[in-house]
Amino acid sequence: MTNAIPKRNTKTLGRLSPSDKKRLEKFLNYLEKEALLFMGYPCSEAYNYSELNALFSYSINNVGDPFQKSNYHLNTHHFEQEVIEYFKKLTTAPHKSWGYVTNGGTEGNLYGLYLAREYIGSDAVVYYSQDSHYSVIKNIRILNIKEQVIARQKNGEIDYDDLAEKILQNKSKKIIINANIGTTITGAIDQVSKIKKILRRLKINKYYIHADAAFFGMILPFLDKVPAFGFDTGIDSIAISGHKMIGSPLPCGIVLVRSKYMRSISSPIEYIGSIDDTITGSRNGITPMYLWYALRTTSHDDFCERVQSCFENADYTIAKLNALGLNAWRNTYSFIVVFDACAPKVLSKWQIAVSGNLAHLIPMPHITKTGIDHFIDEIKNT
Ligand SMILES: *Cc1c(COP(=O)(O)O)cnc(C)c1O
C-alpha cells in the first residue's frame, strides 16, 4: 500500500498548431496596437494584475452567496466579502445590506430591478430617463415590468417636472425609479434628493429607487461637493462596474441592496450547500480578486489623484477641440468630453462612440496628453 499524495491530472488534450500559434501572436499584436487607440469607452487599461496570474490554473467558481459557506471550495468568497465591504462604505450602505461581485453594471441593474419588482409587485411601473443605459431598458423587458420613459434636460439629467407629471398621469402608483448616477453619453446625474422630494410631494409612500452608478460610482466618492447618491439619500440598491474606473481584463461589477429585499428571493440549495441569491449560478471567482488587488494597492488619495488627472485631461481636450472651432463640453461632475461628431474615420480609429450627432471621448487613466495630441492632430488634418 502506498500513500502517495495524489497529483492533479493537468494533461491538456492537444497543442496549438504552428499556424494557430502564428494567428494568436498576430492577434496579440493587434490588441497591443488597438489598446493605444482606446479613447471612447469608460474602461481603464491602467492596471497590472500579473501577480494574480497563478489563479488561472484553478477552476475557481464563486457559485452561491459570497457570505455563506459552500460545498464548492475553490472559491474566493473571503476576498469577495472584503470587496463588498469596501463598496458598502463607499456608498454609505447600512449595516443591513448585502451584495456580490457581478459580471458588470448590466447584471447589477438587472438584480436591482428584480428585487424592486419582487417588492413592489409585478404591476409596478419603472420610471427612467430617455438617457438611461440600454441595459436598463433590456432588463425591464426581461423582467416584464411596465415602463415609463421620462424626458431629459439638455445636459442629459432627468427632467424632474416631466417625472412628476408622468407619475400623476399613471393610475397605478406602484413606483420603481431608475436613477442614472452618471449617464453613458453625457455623464449627467439624476439627483436622488430631487426625485425623493417629488415622491414626498405626491404622497407616494411605497417605492423603490435603484441607482445605476456603473461608471460614476467609482468617480463621485473621490470628488469634493458632489450630489449625494449613496444609501444615505434613500436609494434601495446600486450597481457599479468594476472594469470601468478600476479597470480589469475581465468585465465585472458590484451590486449592493438593502437586506430586507432579499427575503423573497433567497433559497437554500442542497446541491451547492449554499444559498442561491445571485442571478447566475456559477460566478466568476477571478474578478473579485482583481477588485481586491486594486483596492489593496490603491489608497483613497490615489483614487482621488487618478480621478483628478482624468478631469485635467478632459479640460485639456475640451480646450484643444474648442481651439479647432468645435463645440466641446462636459458636465460638472463628469470627465466625459462631449463634442459634435465629426471626421467619422478618425472617430472610428480611436474607438469613439457616437450617439446621434454627439460623440464622446473619455480620458480614462491610461490616456496621456500625448495620446490626446495625436487624436487632435488627426482631427485637425481631416
Ligand atoms: C457601462 C454602463 C452600464 C453597463 O455596464 P456594464 O458593466 O457594461 O454591463 C450601465 N449603465 C451605465 C450608466 C453605464 O455607463
Side-chain angles (χ1 to χ4, degrees):
M1 276 283 288
T2 55
N3 267 329
I5 296 168
K7 275 223 170 80
R8 181 156 60 117
N9 173 15
T10 54
K11 213 166 87 189
T12 53
L13 294 176
R15 293 202 168 271
L16 277 186
S17 69
S19 70
D20 279 340
K21 260 193 189 163
K22 237 185 223 141
R23 187 173 165 205
L24 182 61
E25 213 170 285
K26 218 168 127 190
F27 180 62
L28 286 169
N29 286 334
Y30 163 83
L31 287 178
E32 188 64 31
K33 262 206 317 255
E34 288 295 319
L36 281 174
L37 301 167
F38 191 56
M39 278 201 188
Y41 292 93
C43 302
S44 174
E45 294 181 309
Y47 54 77
N48 182 348
Y49 297 117
S50 54
E51 278 185 275
L52 299 177
N53 286 356
L55 291 168
F56 280 97
S57 300
Y58 302 95
S59 297
I60 295 174
N61 191 325
N62 278 14
V63 61
D65 186 318
F67 291 89
Q68 303 287 332
K69 275 215 183 82
S70 165
N71 280 346
Y72 195 102
H73 291 182
L74 277 72
N75 69 58
T76 62
H77 283 165
H78 285 106
F79 296 93
E80 185 174 4
Q81 288 171 18
E82 282 180 39
V83 171
I84 295 305
E85 290 307 324
Y86 175 89
F87 279 99
K88 275 173 76 166
K89 278 201 201 99
L90 207 65
T91 57
T92 60
H95 176 65
K96 286 191 175 169
S97 55
W98 179 91
Y100 71 96
V101 173
T102 61
N103 180 58
T106 299
E107 186 184 339
N109 285 342
L110 178 60
Y111 198 76
L113 293 170
Y114 170 44
L115 292 195
R117 187 196 68 182
E118 296 303 289
Y119 172 66
I120 300 282
S122 54
D123 50 348
V125 179
V126 185
Y127 296 79
Y128 64 90
S129 101
Q130 209 181 321
D131 271 12
S132 297
H133 187 262
Y134 64 89
S135 66
V136 172
I137 296 130
K138 174 174 60 188
N139 289 331
I140 291 170
R141 307 254 152 96
I142 291 174
L143 293 166
N144 197 23
I145 327 176
K146 289 193 202 83
E147 59 185 310
Q148 176 66 63
V149 186
I150 305 299
R152 56 150 156 71
Q153 304 175 46
K154 230 178 169 175
N155 71 345
E157 187 173 342
I158 195 167
D159 182 324
Y160 304 98
D161 295 335
D162 192 45
L163 175 64
E165 203 171 299
K166 292 281 160 43
I167 290 177
L168 271 177
Q169 280 170 11
N170 259 300
K171 282 194 192 75
S172 162
K173 290 288 177 279
K174 298 196 154 184
I175 288 172
I176 300 169
I177 289 178
N178 174 80
N180 300 315
I181 309 303
T183 59
T184 308
I185 305 299
T186 66
I189 294 165
D190 300 344
Q191 296 198 39
V192 181
S193 59
K194 290 190 181 169
I195 292 171
K196 296 265 295 188
K197 215 183 231 169
I198 291 169
L199 295 171
R200 263 199 308 274
R201 180 156 56 83
L202 300 179
K203 300 205 163 52
I204 290 161
N205 302 317
K206 192 172 172 180
Y207 55 82
Y208 185 109
I209 302 179
H210 172 71
D212 176 6
F215 182 18
F216 282 52
M218 268 306 286
I219 298 177
L220 299 184
F222 307 105
L223 292 175
D224 291 332
K225 294 197 195 102
V226 290
F229 69 96
F231 284 87
D232 52 348
T233 63
I235 60 162
D236 296 291
S237 54
I238 190 164
I240 304 177
S241 294
H243 59 284
K244 289 188 171 173
M245 198 54 204
I246 292 176
S248 151
L250 303 173
C252 58
I254 62 107
V255 65
L256 292 175
V257 301
R258 291 181 192 274
S259 304
K260 64 177 176 184
Y261 300 122
M262 301 285 302
R263 275 178 223 132
S264 62
I265 63 124
S266 308
S267 49
I269 306 291
E270 186 190 6
Y271 176 63
I272 58 170
S274 182
I275 292 179
D276 181 29
D277 46 15
T278 57
I279 297 272
T280 63
S282 289
R283 290 191 304 115
N284 198 321
I286 304 282
T287 48
M289 297 305 289
Y290 287 146
L291 297 178
W292 172 82
Y293 188 94
L295 300 175
R296 296 298 292 174
T297 54
T298 320
S299 70
H300 187 88
D301 286 349
D302 292 338
F303 276 126
C304 290
E305 223 170 87
R306 250 197 178 184
V307 166
Q308 211 48 55
S309 80
C310 293
F311 274 90
E312 270 165 41
N313 283 342
D315 287 336
Y316 180 79
T317 312
I318 290 172
K320 290 246 165 179
L321 286 169
N322 286 342
L324 294 181
L326 288 165
N327 181 31
W329 56 280
R330 66 172 177 83
N331 268 310
T332 314
Y333 309 108
S334 159
F335 58 78
I336 299 175
V337 176
V338 187
F339 61 102
D340 295 342
C342 58
K345 270 207 179 121
V346 180
L347 296 192
S348 132
K349 175 180 166 186
W350 293 85
Q351 303 173 50
I352 302 242
V354 174
S355 170
N357 48 12
L358 291 185
H360 71 200
L361 185 155
I362 313 182
M364 295 303 288
H366 61 276
I367 288 170
T368 59
K369 288 207 169 63
T370 322
I372 295 167
D373 289 342
H374 273 280
F375 168 75
I376 296 286
D377 278 345
E378 288 186 16
I379 293 271
K380 193 155 67 184
N381 296 329
T382 47

